């Protein structure tokens, strides 16, 4: 755990909830003259090791952006390659019961293949009692569709106007029982959230790095956590 070995004057504050926009797989592959699928493959390996590292340093919730509601615009070949990687991961994750990580999925499952949905449900059920960390995998996820669905449900249930407040809206989101992300990391050098945790990120600290996701290392988490530790989260106060 290199994080704790480093000598630095800032006391490290481990975020309770980290969100990661894992971007740059395609460019990583292109730089090497490889097909984009190779970037996704390497990216999946990095995802597995970073997940464990976050658990080891005491992060309690990790939400990773695996596939957005906009990513269907990509070629069939690329989309089916990503789905195949997901199948592989979901079959594999069963062997890692010792990881003690609870896995949940956020996003719209209705557009996903039924065998994938079955594997997702199995993974969620099998890991329900694991408590070292909760891993949310955002799959066919978009923050705006999430809010639209919440509004539809609220109207559908006939909730009276007087009862609608921020907590009520939150209770209709995928992350209803979870704290909002303290820190959102985006790799790949773009400065945007691309529909990730739109409602939940209202007061998140944002950290952008040029490192492409397949090159991302434990030390890059350390750098982000160190930067987070130096931030002054005022939440509108005058402190
Ligand atoms: C992120 O990497 C993975 C997904 C969006 C599924 P990209 O595939 O977007 O990589 P770049 O941004 O094209 O390099
Ligand atoms: C965001 O990355 C989605 C994921 C990382 C899964 P994109 O590569 O899809 O985002 P844009 O298109 O650059 O905004
Ligand atoms: Mg991208």
């Amino acid at each position: 755990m290199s994080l704790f070995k480093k000598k630095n004057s800032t006391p490290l504050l481990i975020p309770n909830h980290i969100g990661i926009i894992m971007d740059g797989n395609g460019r990583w592959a292109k730089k090497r003259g490889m097909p984009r699928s190779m970037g996704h493959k390497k990216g999946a390996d990095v995802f597995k090791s970073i997940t464990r590292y976050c658990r080891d340093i005491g992060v309690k919730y990790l939400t990773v952006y695996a596939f957005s509601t906009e990513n269907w615009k990509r070629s069939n070949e690329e989309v089916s390659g990503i789905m195949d990687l997901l199948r592989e991961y979901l079959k594999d994750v069963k062997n890692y019961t010792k990881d003690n990580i609870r896995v949940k999925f956020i996003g719209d499952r209705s557009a996903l293949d039924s065998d994938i949905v079955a594997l997702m449900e199995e993974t969620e059920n099998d890991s329900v009692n694991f408590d070292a960390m909760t891993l949310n995998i955002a799959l066919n996820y978009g923050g705006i569709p999430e809010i639209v669905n919440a509004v539809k449900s609220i109207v559908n249930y006939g909730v009276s106007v007087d009862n609608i407040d921020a907590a009520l809206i939150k209770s209709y989101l995928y992350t209803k029982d979870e704290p909002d992300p303290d820190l959102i990391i985006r790799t790949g050098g773009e400065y945007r959230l691309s529909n990730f945790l739109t409602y939940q990120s209202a007061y998140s600290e944002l950290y952008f790095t040029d490192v492409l996701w397949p090159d991302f290392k434990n030390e890059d988490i350390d750098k982000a956590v160190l930067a987070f530790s130096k931030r002054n989260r005022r939440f509108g106060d005058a402190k």
Side-chain angles (χ1 to χ4, degrees):
M1 263 184 264
S2 57
L3 186 69
F4 298 104
K5 285 185 198 146
K6 290 219 176 82
K7 289 195 186 88
N8 53 59
S9 50
T10 311
L12 281 173
L13 196 63
I14 304 294
N16 189 41
H17 185 172
I18 296 183
I20 306 184
I21 302 171
M22 309 181 291
D23 196 22
N25 294 350
R27 279 163 285 163
W28 182 90
K30 194 174 175 200
K31 265 188 7 189
R32 285 163 180 75
M34 294 171 170
R36 293 177 64 85
S37 61
M38 293 307 289
H40 295 312
K41 198 168 163 39
K42 179 76 189 345
D45 292 339
V46 170
F47 150 70
K48 288 180 224 167
S49 61
I50 291 296
T51 297
R52 291 185 181 129
Y53 185 64
C54 285
R55 176 206 57 194
D56 290 345
I57 63 172
V59 173
K60 286 295 166 197
Y61 296 87
L62 176 68
T63 302
V64 295
Y65 209 2
F67 194 86
S68 77
T69 44
E70 286 70 40
N71 287 146
W72 298 105
K73 293 173 187 163
R74 300 183 179 200
S75 71
N76 289 341
E77 189 194 356
E78 182 168 355
V79 170
S80 65
I82 292 169
M83 295 302 161
D84 283 345
L85 276 173
L86 179 73
R87 280 187 180 89
E88 223 174 274
Y89 167 75
L90 289 171
K91 286 175 187 160
D92 198 34
V93 83
K94 293 189 189 313
N95 301 321
Y96 296 114
T97 50
K98 63 179 184 311
D99 281 347
N100 198 21
I101 294 171
R102 180 173 184 181
V103 182
K104 290 185 182 179
F105 292 88
I106 62 172
D108 177 9
R109 300 176 190 205
S110 66
L112 302 173
D113 287 349
S114 57
D115 69 304
I116 291 191
V117 176
L119 282 166
M120 287 159 64
E121 285 170 358
E122 242 177 82
T123 305
E124 288 181 328
N125 293 334
D126 290 354
S127 67
V128 75
N129 292 317
F130 295 157
D131 60 4
M133 183 178 81
T134 296
L135 168 67
N136 296 315
I137 302 178
L139 192 67
N140 194 23
Y141 174 87
I144 290 178
E146 179 182 36
I147 295 166
V148 170
N149 284 331
V151 172
K152 283 185 179 169
S153 302
I154 290 166
V155 172
N156 236 341
Y157 283 116
V159 178
S160 89
V161 171
D162 293 343
N163 290 332
I164 297 176
D165 59 13
L168 186 275
I169 293 172
K170 168 99 195 225
S171 74
Y172 282 84
L173 303 180
Y174 294 118
T175 56
K176 56 178 177 291
D177 301 319
E178 300 180 2
D180 290 337
D182 302 290
L183 171 66
I184 294 179
I185 299 170
R186 183 175 187 141
T187 63
E190 310 287 359
Y191 303 127
R192 53 177 174 261
L193 292 175
S194 302
N195 218 356
F196 185 56
L197 300 179
T198 307
Y199 191 89
Q200 299 88 334
S201 63
Y203 259 108
S204 302
E205 295 296 326
L206 308 180
Y207 179 87
F208 299 99
T209 170
D210 289 339
V211 175
L212 302 174
W213 178 250
D215 288 328
F216 198 78
K217 305 269 184 308
N218 293 349
E219 290 71 32
D220 296 303
I221 287 286
D222 293 356
K223 284 182 194 164
V225 168
L226 184 61
F228 172 79
S229 302
K230 293 177 180 166
R231 304 272 177 95
N232 180 10
R233 302 185 80 189
R234 282 185 292 277
F235 296 102
D237 207 338
K239 290 179 278 198

